[in-house]
Amino acid sequence: MSDVPGLDGLLGVEHLELTADKVVVQYTIGEQHLQPFGIPHGGVYCAVHESTASTGGQIWLGEKGVVVGTNNSTDFIRQAKVGDTITTVATPIHRGRTQQLWRLETTDADGKLIAQGQVRLANLDLPVPPEALARYRAMTQE
């Protein structure tokens, strides 16, 4: 298990690059990622897409508010298998006062597209919770 908190930690996600303009994460497909028929569950890609976009969106928004996902559209292109190292890259398409739109591309070790998608985020005018603020500061200091 990863030292990353939450669902990303359970999925074994490792943060490789964390900026307001690009977030890169990586994980290795294991038995915990499979659906009952032995292939990676599409929900894994959706979850990683949303958390990766949200991370970038929160870094960009900073302490001005909290981002939350409002839409997640993920297309599954190619099947991965147990042992494959998967990389997800999030880049912004639009960042505005009330919402953001992020593009996600998930590839295998050979650079072949596994999944692609978009995540829309709402920028909420709420204080960042203290525990999230501490995590955000730690992530952006690394």
Side-chain angles (χ1 to χ4, degrees):
M1 188 181 332
S2 169
D3 61 351
V4 175
L7 184 56
D8 276 0
L10 291 173
L11 295 174
V13 173
E14 178 186 357
H15 296 105
L16 303 180
E17 184 177 338
L18 294 162
T19 71
D21 296 317
K22 185 178 183 183
V23 176
V24 180
V25 303
Q26 197 170 69
Y27 56 101
T28 300
I29 298 292
E31 297 293 326
Q32 74 274 24
H33 299 108
L34 304 182
Q35 46 97 306
F37 301 102
I39 62 174
H41 195 294
V44 171
Y45 302 122
C46 291
V48 173
H49 281 187
E50 186 160 339
S51 63
T52 304
S54 294
T55 298
Q58 190 65 56
I59 291 170
W60 178 77
L61 190 61
E63 296 180 33
K64 293 183 270 184
V66 175
V67 300
V68 296
T70 59
N71 190 55
N72 183 333
S73 175
T74 300
D75 298 306
F76 313 116
I77 310 298
R78 177 176 281 106
Q79 182 177 315
K81 61 186 180 316
V82 171
D84 285 351
T85 298
I86 303 299
T87 302
T88 297
V89 177
T91 54
I93 297 170
H94 167 78
R95 295 182 288 200
R97 185 177 53 79
T98 61
Q99 64 181 346
Q100 302 179 47
L101 184 61
W102 286 72
R103 173 178 294 114
L104 291 298
E105 290 190 352
T106 296
T107 58
D108 64 14
D110 295 326
K112 292 181 180 172
L113 192 61
I114 300 294
Q116 67 178 10
Q118 292 185 27
V119 171
R120 183 170 300 281
L121 305 170
N123 302 329
L124 302 180
D125 186 20
L126 295 172
V128 180
E131 64 280 0
L133 186 57
R135 217 173 19 253
Y136 159 75
R137 287 181 177 150
M139 288 170 62
T140 58
Q141 298 301 313
E142 294 175 351

